[in-house]
Structure formats: structure tokens, C-alpha cells
């Protein structure tokens, strides 16, 4: 079963995020707090959304999709950006990942969004194979750029360690 997350799910979402970070060999990067996640998902101005895959027999959450809206200036409509898709190893191969993606695709079609997109680590062959099996294709002609930390502060005109 796939269902939207509710405020009581924040602790399990934090656990799933940390498990994903471990899988992606970056546990130190998972710094979100329950308070931050609650605010992002359920605060007065939600910036993100989450769905859970729940085991039909036990009722336990076994996976998640965390997503937010993006916007295509070329199409003139929103799309869904999938930030994280994760299914616990013990629940893989039972259709939970596909069901989560199917729900996001349904949301896109229902709302008139033209895109569902995400990033995948180049070394994650099982995920790449899975996504390709569903018809997803890599955008090889694009390179992802990121700015954070010192570079972001400098571009903003802020010195790290200062109040200005």
C-alpha cells in the first residue's frame, strides 16, 4: 500500500533517510532533524511531500518517496522532482519502489505536470537498471552543478564565521 505521510511518520522518515544515506555511502550527509522535516512537510508552507510504502501484511513502513515541485519554463507547468526513493533491503523486489513511482506518475498526470525526474548515483547499477526497466532514460546531455558551503557564502557576499 502507498499512502501520503502524516506528521506521526516523521520519525520513520528520518530513519529511512538515514538508511538511504548509509546505502549511498554518505551517512555524515544526513543532517536533517525531525523538527526540520516536520516543518518542510507539514508546516504552514510545505516545501516537500512524502509518500510511504507500507507492507500489506505487517502495516510497517518499508519505503518512501520524498519529493517536491519544480517548474519547467519551457512547458509552463510544474513537475515532480523526486529527491529520495528508498525501499528497505528486506522489502526490495516486492513492487514497493514501482508502486511509489507509479503514485508520483499518477500525481503528475492528475495535475497536468509533464515531468517526473530525479538523480541517481552513477555507481548505483541496481537502481539504474530498475529505472530503465520502467522506461526512464538518463539525460546524458546535462551535467548537475551544486554550490554549497564556502562557495555559496562567497557568492552571497557573506564571509563564513561573520554575522554579515
Amino acid at each position: 500500500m502507498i499512502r501520503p505521510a502524516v506528521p506521526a511518520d516523521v520519525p520513520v522518515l528520518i530513519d529511512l533517510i538515514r538508511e538511504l544515506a548509509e546505502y549511498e555511502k554518505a551517512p555524515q550527509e544526513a543532517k536533517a532533524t525531525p523538527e526540520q522535516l516536520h516543518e518542510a512537510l507539514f508546516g504552514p508552507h510545505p516545501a516537500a511531500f512524502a509518500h510511504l510504502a507500507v507492507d500489506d501484511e505487517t502495516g510497517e513502513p518499508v519505503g518512501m518517496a520524498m519529493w517536491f515541485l519544480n517548474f519547467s519554463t519551457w512547458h509552463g507547468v510544474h513537475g515532480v522532482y523526486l529527491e529520495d526513493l528508498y525501499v528497505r533491503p528486506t522489502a526490495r523486489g516486492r513492487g514497493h519502489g514501482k508502486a511509489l513511482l507509479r503514485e508520483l506518475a499518477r500525481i503528475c498526470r492528475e495535475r497536468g505536470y509533464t515531468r517526473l525526474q530525479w538523480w541517481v548515483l552513477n555507481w548505483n547499477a541496481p537502481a539504474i537498471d530498475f529505472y530503465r526497466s520502467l522506461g526512464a532514460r538518463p539525460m546524458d546531455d546535462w551535467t548537475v552543478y551544486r554550490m554549497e558551503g564556502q562557495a555559496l557564502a562567497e557568492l552571497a557576499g557573506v564571509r563564513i564565521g561573520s554575522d554579515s
Side-chain angles (χ1 to χ4, degrees), residues 1-5 9 12-13 16 50-54 61 63-65 100:
M1 174 179 81
I2 305 301
R3 66 170 177 78
D9 294 321
V12 76
L13 288 167
L16 291 165
H51 282 77
L52 287 171
V54 178
M64 66 162 182
L100 285 162

Side-chain angles (χ1 to χ4, degrees), residues 150 153 158-164:
Q150 184 69 32
V158 176
R159 288 179 298 192
I160 296 290
S162 73
D163 294 322
S164 55

Side-chain angles (χ1 to χ4, degrees), residues 41-63:
L41 293 171
F42 306 109
H45 304 287
F49 307 92
H51 282 77
L52 287 171
V54 178
D55 185 277
D56 290 331
E57 295 175 14
T58 67
E60 292 297 315
V62 295

Side-chain angles (χ1 to χ4, degrees), residues 35 40 49 99 119-120 138-139 153 161:
E35 295 78 19
F49 307 92
W119 299 349
V120 61
M139 297 185 64

